[in-house]
Amino acid sequence: MKIVQMNATCGTGSTGKICSAIAALLDRNGVENYVFYSSDKSSDPHGKRFLSKRALKLQAVFSRVLGNYGFNTRCATRRILKKLDETSPDIVHLHNLHGHNVNLTLLFRYFKKHPEIKIIWTFHDCWAFTGYCTHFVMDKCDKWMHGCHDCPQRKKYSWFFDRSHTLYRRKKELFAGLDLTVVTPSEWLAGLVKQSFLKDSPVKVINNGIDLTVFQPRKSNFREKHNIPEDKYILLGVAFDWGERKGLDVFVDLAHSLPRDYQIVLVGTNGETDRQLPNNIISIHRTKNQTELAEIYSAADLFVNPTREENYPTVNMESIACGTPVLTFRTGGSPEIVDERCGCVVDCDDIKALKACIADIRANKPFDTTGCLERSASFDANDKFAEYIKLYNIRMEDKK
């Protein structure tokens, strides 16, 4: 058996790391496999890159000028198809295709000419069944259910034209009639797929996972390093694209309204983020490695995730695995990670309820490390990636 994964990245970013982990597990099971990608450098031996950095930027410009996001990159796609012919894979496992890395028309017409190839597509967001966008919750948009048009996010994807209806229609036509299995990391996203034009495709939920050898309770000198007294209650937020979508404004509100015996810490910020923050928030631009991040999770008293659009946030899992409970908005797949042992959920944008829940958790301590670790036992990335091996219909071997 031969398997090809296709993604924007390989070994970097959340989806690129997933590809590399699956590839390594396939190796251990004696399966020939490759990862076709376009963005960033990769040291993964499975990776085969098809676009230079300069070419990738050029394709991004073409998309924004022409408004045809997902339907450029013809030359690189032809190189990919030639490599697929040479490789003759039994399975092609798609991931993110919206990194200007393929031309959907060329790719999916190829698949229709080769029905012997089984197609698995992991949706890490909603892009496959919309005209343009990856998420639409904040815009309260349901046009994707009937046929996108007059896209409220058009300016993010096209400088001049709104081709959302055309792109929606082209995707619907291209994806129809394929032997396509859709995988989603959350029940929430699976529910959306079943309401979309892909409703007739089989859908399987495989949650994302994390490395539990890294994310576990750790000794930490974080308080001492940042001069945080022991009697201060640390509220932690972690994101890598801070803004309204991730709830930056919520933390600013909390910083202005909570008593002085609270300390807010945000990780993943940058200079632009810092200019929006009050002085009483500790801002950490980057961590040295995942172990340092685990130490920060371990030092916090409560992880707050006021995200407004989310699929299945890794940060929730990481915090719980480090013994720190999670408080999150009821949006996307974020609530699916939390149960009664490790945190609680409030309605999205209900800031009053969020503050009340913070105070209650601090006062009554309903969650402890034991409960968090019981829940995090189900987050093991190795178990999640093994589900993909089963989906490929490969008999698992214990070759660690």
Side-chain angles (χ1 to χ4, degrees):
M1 179 175 282
K2 297 178 184 178
I3 295 175
V4 169
Q5 296 183 81
M6 293 180 60
N7 189 48
T9 59
C10 176
T12 60
S14 58
T15 59
K17 290 176 181 176
I18 289 171
C19 289
S20 290
I22 293 173
L25 188 54
L26 286 169
D27 262 0
R28 293 200 293 272
N29 284 272
V31 179
E32 182 179 345
N33 72 98
Y34 308 90
V35 180
F36 293 178
Y37 73 104
S38 58
S39 302
D40 300 331
K41 294 180 179 179
S42 176
S43 59
D44 190 317
H46 305 91
K48 294 187 178 297
R49 188 175 180 179
F50 287 88
L51 268 174
S52 67
K53 185 176 181 180
R54 181 177 178 276
L56 191 65
K57 288 183 177 180
L58 190 61
Q59 295 305 319
V61 171
F62 285 158
S63 287
R64 284 168 173 79
V65 170
L66 301 174
N68 59 350
Y69 200 153
F71 291 87
N72 286 299
T73 325
R74 300 182 72 86
C75 291
T77 305
R78 290 191 182 100
R79 290 194 292 271
I80 289 171
L81 300 185
K82 182 179 180 182
K83 193 64 181 178
L84 284 175
D85 280 335
E86 294 173 0
T87 306
S88 297
D90 300 281
I91 296 172
V92 173
H93 183 174
L94 308 172
H95 294 270
N96 275 352
L97 300 184
H98 50 82
H100 309 289
N101 49 330
V102 296
N103 179 289
L104 293 180
T105 299
L106 294 179
L107 181 65
F108 281 86
R109 283 180 179 172
Y110 178 89
F111 289 149
K112 288 185 175 181
K113 291 178 181 177
H114 293 273
E116 72 279 6
I117 300 176
K118 181 178 180 179
I119 310 299
I120 296 171
W121 194 352
T122 297
F123 291 178
H124 299 282
D125 51 44
C126 307
W127 181 80
F129 52 88
T130 71
Y132 280 126
C133 69
T134 57
H135 288 280
F136 39 70
V137 172
M138 288 177 64
D139 286 302
K140 298 180 173 59
C141 181
D142 63 357
K143 296 173 183 176
W144 58 275
M145 298 178 69
H146 316 291
C148 291
H149 60 88
D150 302 312
C151 179
Q153 298 184 44
R154 188 270 301 171
K155 291 183 179 179
K156 290 172 57 178
Y157 300 97
S158 175
W159 292 330
F160 306 111
F161 308 105
D162 181 355
R163 304 199 192 280
S164 56
H165 180 69
T166 299
L167 300 188
Y168 175 93
R169 177 179 51 79
R170 291 174 73 179
K171 288 180 181 178
K172 183 177 180 179
E173 292 171 354
L174 283 169
F175 303 160
L178 282 173
D179 178 14
L180 171 65
T181 298
V182 175
V183 177
T184 66
S186 64
E187 296 287 351
W188 166 79
L189 185 52
L192 296 184
V193 174
K194 292 171 184 176
Q195 299 176 68
S196 75
F197 59 69
L198 288 164
K199 61 182 179 293
D200 293 329
S201 296
V203 180
K204 180 176 178 58
V205 176
I206 298 180
N207 298 142
N208 294 333
I210 57 173
D211 187 344
L212 295 181
T213 66
V214 174
F215 293 101
Q216 57 181 275
R218 293 181 177 274
K219 292 183 179 180
S220 174
N221 65 348
F222 183 79
R223 283 183 178 269
E224 294 82 357
K225 183 178 178 180
H226 293 275
N227 299 312
I228 304 173
E230 288 296 327
D231 60 347
K232 275 201 170 188
Y233 193 81
I234 297 178
L235 300 179
L236 175 64
V238 178
F240 300 99
D241 52 352
W242 281 109
E244 184 182 7
R245 179 173 170 249
K246 293 295 186 181
L248 181 65
D249 57 304
V250 176
F251 281 109
V252 172
D253 183 307
L254 293 175
H256 287 308
S257 59
L258 290 178
R260 296 182 66 180
D261 58 348
Y262 284 88
Q263 177 61 64
I264 295 174
V265 177
L266 298 185
V267 176
T269 53
N270 55 31
E272 182 181 350
T273 310
D274 290 345
R275 288 189 286 274
Q276 303 174 60
L277 299 180
N279 293 330
N280 60 339
I281 291 181
I282 293 176
S283 172
I284 300 174
H285 286 196
R286 64 183 63 186
T287 54
K288 295 178 182 177
N289 49 50
Q290 289 189 314
T291 299
E292 183 182 17
L293 181 57
E295 291 172 357
I296 298 174
Y297 281 123
S298 300
D301 294 293
L302 178 64
F303 183 79
V304 180
N305 189 4
T307 181
R308 294 181 169 99
E309 289 182 327
E310 202 65 69
N311 183 358
Y312 198 80
T314 301
V315 290
N316 287 8
M317 293 187 286
E318 292 172 348
S319 179
I320 293 168
C322 293
T324 300
V326 169
L327 169 59
T328 188
F329 280 160
R330 183 173 286 105
T331 185
S334 192
E336 297 175 31
I337 300 172
V338 178
D339 68 13
E340 69 281 354
R341 296 169 291 180
C342 61
C344 55
V345 180
V346 299
D347 288 340
C348 188
D349 285 324
D350 191 340
I351 308 303
K352 182 178 179 180
L354 185 79
K355 293 176 182 177
C357 200
I358 290 171
D360 179 69
I361 292 172
R362 182 177 186 181
N364 298 312
K365 299 180 175 59
F367 313 113
D368 58 20
T369 300
T370 300
C372 288
L373 296 186
E374 287 175 355
R375 173 62 179 137
S376 70
S378 65
F379 299 159
D380 191 332
N382 291 320
D383 294 338
K384 303 306 177 186
F385 298 141
E387 292 186 46
Y388 279 109
I389 306 302
K390 293 177 182 177
L391 185 61
Y392 298 153
N393 200 26
I394 297 172
R395 184 176 180 180
M396 287 284 292
E397 302 288 345
D398 187 16
K399 297 182 180 180
K400 296 183 179 180

